[in-house]
Amino acid sequence: MTLAQVYQNGKEYLRKAGVESPAFDAMCLFEAVFGYNRQGLLLHGDEPAPNDRIVVFNDSIHQRADKRPLQYIVGEWPFLSLTLKIGEGVLIPREDTELLVRTAEEMLRLREKAVALDLCAGTGAVGLGLASLLPQVEVTCVEFFDEALTYLKENLQRHPELASVNWMQADVLDPAVPEQFGMVDAIVSNPPYVITGEMETLQEEVRREPSTALDGGEDGLRFYRALAENWVPILKKGGIFAVEIGEGQAEAVRELFTQAGLKNIRIAKDFGGIDRVVAGMKL
């Protein structure tokens, strides 16, 4: 069987299984197993596929057909210029979250140095991403859950060039934790924000991600209240606070931040035109 036939069979299997993007998913899995991207497949498609690799590829196709997230099967995923290790137990980095990092970068880029916190860090995507854009920023990634922390530590090891990033295990909902950090220049966070009652309505693939990284409480605002009440106070004058939000949460989060004393609050839209980031400054 040729490489092209193996790919086509995999794509067709995913299509029949109802996978939303069978061609894209099959190509990602093909590249992970055989080492060829789409251009490589065009050049080498007539070559015979090694039998042992066919077995691995077919297994990955079956996992995807069973709705295991593509990113978990591949085992790593790009975020900005980084490649992050991921798997069960940690939130999958998404393109929308790059907007959070870009927003924070824009607000911090003129500072010669800064101390920042990435709360609910998960893989460390936000903290590592910010450091990759602004090497002068010293970032501490704060994560509570052991499984996610495993991936966070591995991703810090994967990117030794970002030596200004470190980690700490702590519960961001604990009001006693912020005082451990002293005053900081920036806080960024992609916290859980799905309304508890809507968890069961999420796509099956999303429900495979840890509920602890998704469930934001009865109204989805549990973490934002804690951030506003407990974490805004440790911002220095001129410090910035930026968070990712769920659809329809912009005004509620803006109000929480306003009440906490943040000024010049902005709302940024994602590629789909949905309010995705709320950011403000402590004047």
Side-chain angles (χ1 to χ4, degrees):
M1 187 175 293
T2 67
L3 291 168
Q5 288 171 330
V6 170
Y7 164 73
Q8 290 296 336
N9 288 347
K11 180 178 72 172
E12 182 63 14
Y13 192 93
L14 295 183
R15 185 190 67 79
K16 290 180 178 179
V19 172
E20 187 174 333
S21 51
F24 175 80
D25 290 22
M27 180 51 63
C28 288
L29 297 172
F30 184 88
E31 183 174 359
V33 174
F34 292 100
Y36 291 128
N37 59 17
R38 189 170 299 278
Q39 183 63 33
L41 179 59
L42 289 173
L43 294 173
H44 300 278
D46 291 334
E47 297 177 6
N51 288 331
D52 59 338
R53 295 290 87 195
I54 293 176
V55 172
V56 174
F57 177 72
N58 287 342
D59 177 66
S60 69
I61 288 290
H62 291 154
Q63 291 182 52
R64 185 68 192 99
D66 288 337
K67 302 301 189 292
R68 186 183 182 204
L70 171 67
Q71 296 88 342
Y72 287 172
I73 302 170
V74 174
E76 60 183 27
W77 204 250
F79 185 84
L80 293 172
S81 63
L82 310 171
T83 300
L84 301 177
K85 178 71 175 177
I86 57 175
E88 277 77 8
V90 74
L91 189 72
I92 296 169
R94 289 170 168 81
E95 190 175 22
D96 286 343
T97 304
E98 294 183 6
L99 177 63
L100 171 62
V101 179
R102 296 286 186 187
T103 300
E105 183 264 342
E106 179 185 348
M107 299 174 76
L108 288 171
R109 69 170 59 139
L110 297 181
R111 307 193 187 196
E112 292 185 3
K113 59 186 297 186
V115 175
L117 302 177
D118 170 16
L119 305 181
C120 305
T123 59
V126 173
L128 286 165
L130 184 60
S132 73
L133 298 176
L134 296 174
Q136 74 272 24
V137 176
E138 179 183 323
V139 183
T140 298
C141 295
V142 182
E143 175 56 48
F144 180 58
F145 294 99
D146 290 334
E147 286 184 284
L149 198 62
T150 297
Y151 291 101
L152 171 58
K153 293 177 182 178
E154 182 165 347
N155 286 323
L156 264 61
Q157 293 174 353
R158 276 188 163 210
H159 295 283
E161 74 279 9
L162 302 177
S164 62
V165 183
N166 53 67
W167 63 272
M168 176 176 176
Q169 185 171 20
D171 182 358
V172 303
L173 294 176
D174 183 345
V177 169
E179 63 186 27
Q180 300 179 37
F181 293 95
M183 303 299 286
V184 299
D185 301 283
I187 298 175
V188 291
S189 182
N190 177 20
Y193 54 68
V194 178
I195 295 172
T196 300
E198 296 180 355
M199 290 287 290
E200 290 302 315
T201 70
L202 299 174
Q203 290 181 321
E204 184 176 348
E205 289 91 340
V206 178
R207 295 201 304 272
R208 299 282 188 96
E209 297 180 67
S211 61
T212 51
L214 297 169
D215 191 340
E218 291 185 3
D219 61 358
L221 301 175
R222 180 188 182 199
F223 281 82
Y224 301 110
R225 290 192 187 92
L227 295 176
E229 181 177 352
N230 302 325
W231 292 88
V232 170
I234 70 168
L235 273 183
K236 296 178 183 177
K237 184 177 181 180
I240 69 107
F241 209 125
V243 295
E244 182 172 326
I245 59 171
E247 186 172 357
Q249 295 177 329
E251 291 306 320
V253 174
R254 185 210 293 266
E255 181 61 24
L256 286 170
F257 280 3
T258 298
Q259 292 177 2
L262 295 184
K263 306 293 184 182
N264 299 337
I265 295 176
R266 64 170 80 174
I267 297 173
K269 296 182 182 295
D270 63 20
F271 296 112
I274 296 171
D275 293 336
R276 187 59 65 190
V277 171
V278 176
M281 182 175 290
K282 190 172 185 180
L283 299 180

